[in-house]
C-alpha cells in the first residue's frame, strides 16, 4: 500500500491522480443528479474567479473531443483518457523509471512517461469511441409539421371531420396521431392515407386516401378529358 501511494503521488502519476479525483467528483455529482453527462459540452462558463480556469479546462477538453472525433461527450472522452493515462503512468513509473535509473536523467524519464501515458490514454479513448459512440447519440424528434407528406395507416374504425387516429408509416417509428378527413369517400381501419396538413390549434392532421391521390390509368384519363 505504501508503494502504491508513493507511486500515485509522485510525478508524473500525481498529475493523472489529481485529474482522476476531479473526474470522480464530477461523476459523483452527475449520479446525484446535479449535472448532465454532457454538461461539459455546453457553452455556458462559470462566472467570477472560475471563469479563466474553466476556459483552460474546456480548451483541453475541446482538444480531447476533437481527437476522439466527437463521437463521445467531452466528459466521457476526458474520463477515458485520464483513466487509461493514470494506469499507463503508474505502470510506467513502476517499470520504466526504475529500469532507466542511472541511464536516463530522472526528470527526462518522468516527462517521457507522462507524455507516453497521455498518448496511451488518447489511443484508448479513440479505440473505444466507435463502439461506445452510438450509446450517446441523440436524435431530435420530428416536429409535427415534418410529418406532412408522409403516409399513415388508419387505426380507428373510420375517420371523420371530428374523429380518427392513425399510425405514421415512416419505417423508423410507430407514432399514433389524431387525423381528420373532410373529403369525399371514406377511410376505415387498415386503409393507407397521406398526411396533407397539420393544424397546430387542434394538434390534428388532415389526411387524404392514397387511392384518391393515385394517378388514373391512361385510358381513364383520356375518357375524362374527352368528356
Amino acid at each position: 500500500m505504501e508503494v502504491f501511494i508513493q507511486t500515485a503521488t509522485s510525478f508524473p502519476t500525481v498529475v493523472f491522480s489529481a485529474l482522476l479525483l476531479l473526474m470522480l467528483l464530477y461523476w459523483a455529482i452527475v449520479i446525484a443528479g446535479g449535472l448532465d453527462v454532457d454538461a461539459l459540452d455546453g457553452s455556458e462558463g462559470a462566472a467570477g474567479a472560475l471563469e479563466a480556469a474553466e476556459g483552460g479546462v474546456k480548451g483541453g477538453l475541446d482538444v480531447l473531443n476533437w481527437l476522439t472525433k466527437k463521437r463521445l461527450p467531452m466528459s466521457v472522452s476526458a474520463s477515458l483518457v485520464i483513466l487509461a493515462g493514470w494506469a499507463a503512468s503508474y505502470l510506467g513509473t513502476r517499470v520504466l523509471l526504475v529500469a532507466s535509473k542511472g541511464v536516463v536523467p530522472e526528470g527526462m524519464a518522468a516527462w517521457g512517461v507522462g507524455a507516453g501515458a497521455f498518448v496511451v490514454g488518447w489511443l484508448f479513448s479513440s479505440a473505444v469511441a466507435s463502439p461506445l459512440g452510438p450509446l450517446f447519440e441523440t436524435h431530435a424528434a420530428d416536429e409535427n409539421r415534418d410529418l406532412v407528406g408522409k403516409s399513415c395507416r388508419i387505426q380507428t374504425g373510420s375517420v371523420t371531420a371530428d374523429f380518427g387516429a392513425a399510425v405514421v408509416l415512416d419505417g423508423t417509428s410507430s407514432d399514433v396521431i389524431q387525423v381528420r378527413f373532410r373529403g369525399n369517400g371514406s377511410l376505415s381501419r387498415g386503409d393507407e392515407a397521406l398526411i396533407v396538413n397539420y393544424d397546430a390549434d387542434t394538434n390534428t392532421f388532415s389526411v387524404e386516401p392514397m387511392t384518391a391521390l393515385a394517378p388514373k390509368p391512361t385510358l381513364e384519363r383520356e375518357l375524362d378529358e374527352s368528356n
Side-chain angles (χ1 to χ4, degrees), residues 4-141:
F4 173 81
I5 294 176
Q6 182 180 358
T7 305
T9 55
S10 62
F11 185 80
T13 311
V14 65
V15 177
F16 290 94
S17 296
L19 293 173
L20 189 60
L21 289 175
L22 288 175
M23 292 309 301
L24 289 174
L25 176 61
Y26 171 83
W27 285 110
I29 297 174
V30 170
I31 293 173
L35 288 172
D36 292 329
V37 172
D38 57 355
L40 296 180
D41 294 277
S43 59
E44 298 274 339
L50 294 178
E51 197 169 81
E54 192 204 334
V57 172
K58 272 189 68 63
L61 291 174
D62 284 336
V63 173
L64 292 179
N65 207 37
W66 175 77
L67 290 174
T68 54
K69 300 179 182 178
K70 295 188 176 182
R71 293 192 184 105
L72 302 175
M74 287 186 187
S75 54
V76 178
S77 297
S79 298
L80 292 173
V81 172
I82 292 170
L83 183 62
W86 183 89
S89 180
Y90 180 88
L91 293 175
T93 300
R94 295 287 302 147
V95 177
L96 296 180
L97 285 184
V98 174
S100 64
K101 202 166 187 177
V103 180
V104 180
E106 187 173 344
M108 184 181 297
W111 278 103
V113 168
F118 175 78
V119 172
V120 169
W122 164 56
L123 291 175
F124 175 76
S125 182
S126 298
V128 301
S130 292
L132 289 183
L135 299 177
F136 297 93
E137 286 184 1
T138 55
H139 302 279

Side-chain angles (χ1 to χ4, degrees), residues 134-147:
L135 299 177
F136 297 93
E137 286 184 1
T138 55
H139 302 279
D142 287 342
E143 293 185 1
N144 287 329
R145 295 187 185 281
D146 294 336
L147 297 179

Side-chain angles (χ1 to χ4, degrees), residues 147-205:
L147 297 179
V148 175
K150 294 184 178 181
S151 60
C152 61
R153 191 173 302 282
I154 306 304
Q155 296 294 294
T156 50
S158 63
V159 179
T160 67
D162 303 307
F163 172 80
V167 61
V168 179
L169 302 176
D170 61 357
T172 59
S173 66
S174 56
D175 295 334
V176 176
I177 58 175
Q178 298 299 310
V179 295
R180 302 291 184 261
F181 176 52
R182 299 176 177 84
N184 298 323
S186 63
L187 282 169
S188 57
R189 187 189 303 275
D191 289 345
E192 190 172 343
L194 180 69
I195 303 171
V196 296
N197 190 37
Y198 171 67
D199 187 342
D201 294 332
T202 60
N203 193 30
T204 59
F205 297 84

